Amino acid sequence: WGNGYATEAVMAMRDLASRLDIKRLYAACHHEHQASRRVLEKAGFDFEGILRRYCEFPNLQPAEYQDVAYYAWTE
C-alpha cells in the first residue's frame, strides 16, 4: 500500500489499450474507497457516476450488493 504500484499497473493497462487501438476502458470500485478512486483519477480515468447496488464485495459484510463509483478512460 502507498508505493504507487496500483497506479503504475492501471497506467500500464491504459497505455497497452492505446497501443492496441482500444478506445475505452472502464473500472468500478467501492464508492467509499478513496484510495482506489484516487488511483483511477491519477491514471487519467474520468468519474462517470455511481451505479447503485451494482455488485457484491466478498470482503465486506454483510454480503449484499453495494454501490460502486464508475470511471472510464477514453482515447
Side-chain angles (χ1 to χ4, degrees), residues 7-69:
T7 302
E8 284 185 35
V10 172
M11 292 174 83
M13 292 304 297
R14 183 202 61 200
D15 294 344
L16 176 62
S18 182
R19 288 195 305 274
L20 294 174
D21 203 32
I22 295 171
K23 301 298 183 193
R24 179 180 174 85
L25 293 178
Y26 68 90
C29 63
H30 193 278
H31 71 288
E32 293 179 346
H33 197 262
Q34 294 302 320
S36 294
R37 294 179 74 155
R38 184 69 189 123
V39 164
L40 295 169
E41 291 165 0
K42 286 195 303 188
F45 282 63
D46 295 317
F47 176 70
E48 293 194 332
I50 300 289
L51 300 177
R52 301 291 178 203
R53 291 180 291 285
Y54 186 73
C55 71
E56 287 184 81
F57 292 84
N59 59 319
L60 299 179
Q61 296 299 322
E64 59 187 29
Y65 282 85
Q66 303 277 326
D67 297 347
V68 298

